[in-house]
Amino acid sequence: MTSSEQAAASSPAFHSQYRVVIVGAGLVGLLLAIVLRRADYHVVVIDKDGELKEIGAGIILPANACRALAQANVLDKVKSCAVAPNAWVSHSYQQGGILARMELDPYIQDQYKVPFLVIHRPDLRRILFEEAKARGACIHLATTADVHRTDFSDGLIHATVTDDVEMVARNPDDGRKERTLQADLVIAADGQQSEARAFLAGHANQPLPTGKMVNRILIGIDRMREMGLEDLINPPCIHVWLGPGSMAVGYLLKDVFNFVLVCSSECEPEVYLGHREVEEEQLRAVFHDWDPRIRSLVENGHGYLKWLLLENGDTALSSCIHAAEGDKLKLALTGNAAHAIGPYIGSGAALGFESATVLGALLEQARQQSDIGPMLSVYESLRRPRTDLVKRVTQKMGQEWMLPDGPLQADRDRTFVEEVPPSQGYPNALQDPFFQTWLYSFDGEQEAREAWLLHREDSVDCA
């Protein structure tokens, strides 16, 4: 009997009858489905897209993300499609000189007992999708939940099912069918523009520009060698260039070099969601005086895409759960729906995986249905302080890594070079030994077990 089968066999009988609907078949929603199926919950995943697709090419999986994947018993499958970079290398932007180097492989494995990986987003999503289905989760694509019409008193979720995506694209009045789903718990993992988040906020989503945008370029491995850029792929490393108002990140995936440039979005005439094609001339103008290798990458890539970095107008959302006493249906946000952060330190997916692990491990301990509401409160009390801190550190790193040329930038670069080994307050928070240990040592299962035990002890003391 596998560990998953053992966990299901030992779960209380009500788990198999307790209906959990996960809105969003992205990375976090699928991992959560895997974890909840291990505890024998009845899991349905719905997603508005008619097919699996991802905007970005690559994703960073630091130690805390890999620990979550290991606890879900999918890390070995992920490793087979991933690359373990040797180091995180910070460069100055003009000539590309090395400012600092953070060892990753095998250091992270030795220190935290799990690897640090990079992987194609589509490959990771495919692995999680197939695993969730294999474990018994029901997954329905082309299905949109209308949280605003949901009846929390009787647990009915109204959904629109698109049977023929191409037909709807041609004629929005055709191909749509109304459905209702019975649920006991809805978990929204549908991203930063989550409709469930809008429901909790009490108003429509208000995406606000941060002033930055992301540009993604792909370069084939053979083309990298033809351009004389073997040093960027062998040995594989995460290369980060720090420049005024902009930064660049590049790393090797299995068969392509993933290159991302963050720069000002002031040239964009409007706020938009999703991705658009890149105007290459704009990128050349922004990065014309950067490291010659960056100019070569900009001029010789393919798969050019751009998207705005946005933040929610409801940054002060009071709660990410809805668990009113007397309501049959409960609601929780997770992943970017709850705590979207910037891309600068590669921790967005990791935080989402942490949240999925914590929420799943809490619900796994439920002995009766009345435990679910208090567990959601414990989940929020565990996640909010940590995700808020990581968000603040991420924002600080984005500002520090994109300083304009001048005294502050010179002091930063001097600290990079001279402060060896790094200490608290180092310009790369990931090399700050205190922050790195706090971030990468996180164990969601252990945190959930300890928090629920403390909650139960406090409840007994108050009885």
Side-chain angles (χ1 to χ4, degrees):
M1 182 180 290
T2 66
S3 59
S4 297
E5 290 170 338
Q6 290 172 348
S10 63
S11 298
F14 91 88
H15 282 199
S16 62
Q17 303 301 315
Y18 195 85
R19 292 158 294 196
V20 181
V21 173
I22 299 173
V23 181
L27 304 179
V28 175
L30 292 170
L31 181 64
L32 182 57
I34 292 167
V35 174
L36 290 178
R37 281 302 302 148
R38 180 180 63 191
D40 201 34
Y41 282 96
H42 181 88
V43 178
V44 174
V45 183
I46 62 175
D47 195 281
K48 61 180 174 38
D49 290 336
E51 59 181 357
L52 296 182
K53 57 185 178 181
E54 289 286 348
I55 295 177
I59 186 168
I60 293 174
L61 299 174
N64 47 332
C66 287
R67 185 172 295 105
L69 294 169
Q71 291 171 338
N73 295 320
V74 293
L75 181 58
D76 286 343
K77 293 180 181 178
V78 172
K79 287 167 65 176
S80 69
C81 295
V83 172
N86 284 27
W88 179 299
V89 184
S90 299
H91 300 264
S92 62
Y93 77 97
Q94 287 183 310
Q95 297 302 319
I98 295 177
L99 297 171
R101 177 184 174 96
M102 179 176 75
E103 298 300 325
L104 296 178
D105 183 47
Y107 172 78
I108 294 295
Q109 177 71 52
D110 294 341
Q111 185 74 11
Y112 300 104
K113 310 309 177 188
V114 285
F116 188 117
L117 304 172
V118 294
I119 189 172
H120 273 292
R121 277 180 175 268
D123 285 345
L124 180 57
R125 195 178 187 191
R126 172 185 52 77
I127 290 168
L128 297 178
F129 181 85
E130 292 174 355
E131 188 70 21
K133 288 185 67 176
R135 296 201 189 179
C138 300
I139 302 177
H140 302 294
L141 302 179
T143 303
T144 303
D146 187 347
V147 180
H148 296 275
R149 293 172 57 203
T150 293
D151 189 335
F152 283 84
S153 63
D154 65 7
L156 283 179
I157 302 171
H158 291 270
T160 301
V161 180
T162 305
D163 290 334
D164 187 335
V165 178
E166 292 184 0
M167 180 187 295
V168 173
R170 294 192 301 269
N171 184 354
D173 295 326
D174 293 332
R176 297 187 182 275
K177 296 180 180 179
E178 292 291 326
R179 294 284 189 273
T180 56
L181 299 171
Q182 189 75 46
D184 299 292
L185 172 63
V186 174
I187 303 173
D190 50 343
Q192 190 173 3
Q193 300 306 316
S194 166
E195 287 302 315
R197 184 183 180 93
F199 169 79
L200 291 178
H203 54 73
N205 287 314
Q206 300 171 334
L208 300 177
T210 63
K212 299 295 180 184
M213 61 187 296
V214 176
N215 304 270
R216 186 217 64 187
I217 304 171
L218 303 176
I219 304 94
I221 303 305
D222 290 341
R223 184 63 181 138
M224 291 287 289
R225 295 192 174 102
E226 291 171 2
M227 293 190 296
L229 299 180
E230 179 84 18
D231 61 319
L232 295 182
I233 58 176
N234 186 23
C237 292
I238 296 174
H239 295 277
V240 182
W241 288 262
L242 314 180
S246 302
M247 62 180 288
V249 181
Y251 51 85
L252 177 68
L253 298 173
K254 277 293 188 183
D255 55 1
V256 71
F257 189 74
N258 184 63
F259 191 51
V260 174
L261 303 114
V262 180
C263 61
S264 171
S265 62
E266 62 182 12
C267 60
E268 297 300 297
E270 61 182 349
V271 176
Y272 58 87
L273 302 178
H275 64 276
R276 294 184 176 180
E277 292 186 2
V278 173
E279 297 176 17
E280 297 172 38
E281 289 301 322
Q282 288 184 354
L283 279 185
R284 292 192 183 99
V286 172
F287 296 96
H288 73 280
D289 59 348
W290 283 50
D291 182 345
R293 293 175 295 180
I294 288 183
R295 300 201 298 270
S296 294
L297 292 170
V298 169
E299 293 169 0
N300 289 277
H302 65 276
Y304 294 79
L305 290 177
K306 67 180 179 181
W307 57 94
L308 295 175
L309 286 179
L310 304 170
E311 61 184 6
N312 289 313
D314 58 343
T315 53
L317 187 64
S318 60
S319 178
C320 289
I321 63 171
H322 176 89
E325 188 173 349
D327 278 354
K328 177 178 175 56
L329 180 63
K330 296 172 174 55
L331 169 67
L333 307 183
T334 196
N336 282 344
H339 44 70
I341 66 170
Y344 307 116
I345 64 173
S347 287
L351 284 187
F353 288 173
E354 285 183 5
S355 292
T357 302
V358 169
L359 184 52
L362 281 168
L363 294 176
E364 191 170 352
Q365 298 175 81
R367 310 265 59 85
Q368 53 200 12
Q369 195 160 329
S370 59
D371 287 339
I372 303 297
M375 283 179 166
L376 296 182
S377 297
V378 171
Y379 160 73
E380 182 167 47
S381 69
L382 279 176
R383 297 307 295 154
R384 180 164 288 217
R386 180 172 171 86
T387 57
D388 285 351
L389 177 56
V390 176
K391 183 175 183 177
R392 291 196 298 272
V393 171
T394 299
Q395 290 172 332
K396 181 181 178 182
M397 289 300 96
Q399 294 165 359
E400 192 155 352
W401 293 351
M402 293 185 280
L403 286 172
D405 289 339
L408 291 178
Q409 166 264 324
D411 286 345
R412 177 202 68 193
D413 291 356
R414 190 178 305 111
T415 302
F416 265 125
V417 173
E418 296 178 358
E419 192 170 303
V420 180
S423 61
Q424 191 168 9
Y426 194 71
N428 182 354
L430 297 178
Q431 291 179 259
D432 177 326
F434 301 96
F435 181 75
Q436 184 194 96
T437 300
W438 176 82
L439 184 65
Y440 288 169
S441 296
F442 185 84
D443 185 328
E445 289 189 348
Q446 180 178 331
E447 291 281 334
R449 287 192 297 266
E450 292 176 354
W452 185 241
L453 178 61
L454 181 61
H455 172 85
R456 292 177 62 189
E457 290 174 348
D458 288 346
S459 299
V460 171
D461 290 342
C462 294

